[in-house]
Amino acid sequence: MIAALILAALQGQGGGLPAARPCSAAEITALTTASAEPYRLTCRAVLGGRAVMRRVLIEGAEASGAGIDCGGGSIGRPGVQTSTQAPTVAIWSRLIDGPSPRWSRPTDLSIANCTIHGNVRIWGMGALSRIEDLRASSRTPGHTQAVQASAPTRIAVTGTTLLGTGSIPFYVGPGVTGVSLNGGRFGGRSESTAIYLDAESAGTAIRNVAFDITTPREQIAVDGSARNLISGNRFVLRGRGGVFLYRNCGEDGVIRHQTPSGNVITDNVFSGSTARSVVVGSRNGGRRYCGDDRGYPFGSSADDRDLATGNTVARNRTVR
């Protein structure tokens, strides 16, 4: 029902969205046929429980309006380790070269009622290891606006289970805005966090999700990401932290402009250990690479501190 409402809303707001159309029978067959190559999704697939045994790529403006309702089915291969370069579901912007290079980004996407084995990776500027584009942009005063304008936006993930097999199960890349993660759960394992909200991203809503995943560090990292909502979730911590807010100054030489500010973290339940549940300003510099972005009068180049301000942390419970 939720998925149907989301798809209807996308169709209603996106008559001009190129991928806001039902997938044909041939497209459904291709999507659900096992292959080592990713399937490039440019339509709305309603699968009724059929499994997708291949990676899914949602890339560029031509994919705007695309979606998958698994109907209780799965995407990916159980237990097979995925990488950051070849994720189970990739939502990427594509660089269009020319005299004035620009990023073509997908918008208004939906994933519903799926079990995803591996990871979802959402990335705009800097995708596919083009970190030099992100680094160059960060050396300009309007970086936050530029990277947000180039990144995927308005992505709804509902009723979906993510089973990590190594890399971060749900990664929201630089500049990504308007992601909604509602219901579902996280399981399996991650070599890092369960969710990572990277620099200059904003407006992610994480609601009513169950976290029961093994990680070596906190469950959710909010790294220079702003105006996010994390509410009504349940976390099993297993000796590690819950939600940490910080700004990872200087990593890869990229200046972090935005601070982890204006976030709302409320009504969550943390259990399983005495680890810190919510930490606002968990780093404040002190990393070996903090000086790698030096020389500019703004962002983390000028000040390595987290500068986390205006965050609301309330009504969270820790169950010992």
Side-chain angles (χ1 to χ4, degrees):
M1 181 63 179
I2 292 175
L5 291 173
I6 291 172
L7 292 175
L10 292 181
Q11 189 174 32
Q13 74 179 29
L17 296 175
R21 60 173 182 83
C23 294
S24 68
E27 287 170 320
I28 295 293
T29 297
L31 173 63
T32 55
T33 298
S35 173
E37 296 300 315
Y39 181 80
R40 187 177 292 272
L41 186 70
T42 56
C43 54
R44 293 185 290 109
V46 178
L47 300 180
R50 296 174 66 178
V52 177
M53 300 295 287
R54 62 190 301 182
R55 294 183 286 117
V56 176
L57 174 61
I58 304 172
E59 183 183 40
E62 67 270 23
S64 293
I68 297 180
D69 184 341
C70 293
S74 63
I75 304 175
R77 299 176 182 273
V80 175
Q81 181 155 339
T82 52
S83 70
T84 58
Q85 294 302 302
T88 311
V89 178
I91 300 173
W92 283 341
S93 297
R94 184 181 63 257
L95 181 63
I96 300 175
D97 288 315
S100 300
R102 63 183 180 86
W103 291 87
S104 174
R105 66 174 180 170
T107 71
D108 304 288
L109 312 172
S110 66
I111 300 171
N113 306 315
C114 299
T115 295
I116 298 175
H117 298 279
N119 60 341
V120 175
R121 195 164 178 85
I122 310 169
W123 205 328
M125 186 184 295
L128 294 174
S129 298
R130 292 187 59 106
I131 195 68
E132 64 275 8
D133 299 309
L134 196 61
R135 188 183 299 117
S137 175
S138 78
R139 279 146 171 72
T140 62
H143 172 61
T144 299
Q145 294 73 25
V147 73
Q148 288 183 358
S150 73
T153 187
R154 297 190 297 276
I155 301 160
V157 180
T158 60
T160 291
T161 294
L162 290 103
L163 300 178
T165 56
S167 59
I168 297 169
F170 198 79
Y171 174 81
V172 176
V176 173
T177 57
V179 173
S180 173
L181 187 61
N182 195 7
R185 70 181 183 93
F186 282 75
R189 64 179 181 84
S190 170
E191 296 166 351
S192 180
T193 63
I195 295 177
Y196 200 102
L197 307 181
D198 213 339
E200 322 306 330
S201 66
T204 292
I206 304 166
R207 290 173 287 204
N208 306 315
V209 178
F211 291 83
D212 192 2
I213 179 173
T214 300
T215 66
R217 49 180 289 191
E218 72 272 14
Q219 299 282 291
I220 300 178
V222 182
D223 173 10
S225 184
R227 301 182 302 283
N228 304 294
L229 171 67
I230 302 171
S231 183
N233 305 290
R234 301 174 304 285
F235 296 85
V236 178
L237 297 184
R238 292 192 176 88
R240 303 299 177 182
V243 182
F244 285 14
L245 280 64
Y246 61 90
R247 185 167 69 165
N248 210 20
C249 55
E251 187 179 28
D252 296 318
V254 177
I255 301 170
R256 267 63 175 173
H257 287 234
Q258 191 170 249
T259 61
S261 298
N263 299 286
V264 176
I265 305 167
T266 60
D267 302 298
N268 302 288
V269 177
F270 300 89
S271 65
S273 79
T274 57
R276 295 178 296 174
S277 55
V278 180
V279 182
V280 177
S282 66
R283 293 195 175 179
N284 281 315
R287 291 299 192 269
R288 58 177 172 75
Y289 42 71
C290 276
D292 291 355
D293 65 354
R294 65 170 63 92
Y296 295 84
F298 41 69
S300 60
S301 182
D303 193 329
D304 288 338
R305 292 177 298 168
D306 295 332
L307 301 177
T309 61
N311 296 290
T312 300
V313 180
R315 301 184 305 279
N316 300 294
R317 292 192 299 123
T318 300
V319 181
R320 303 299 184 191

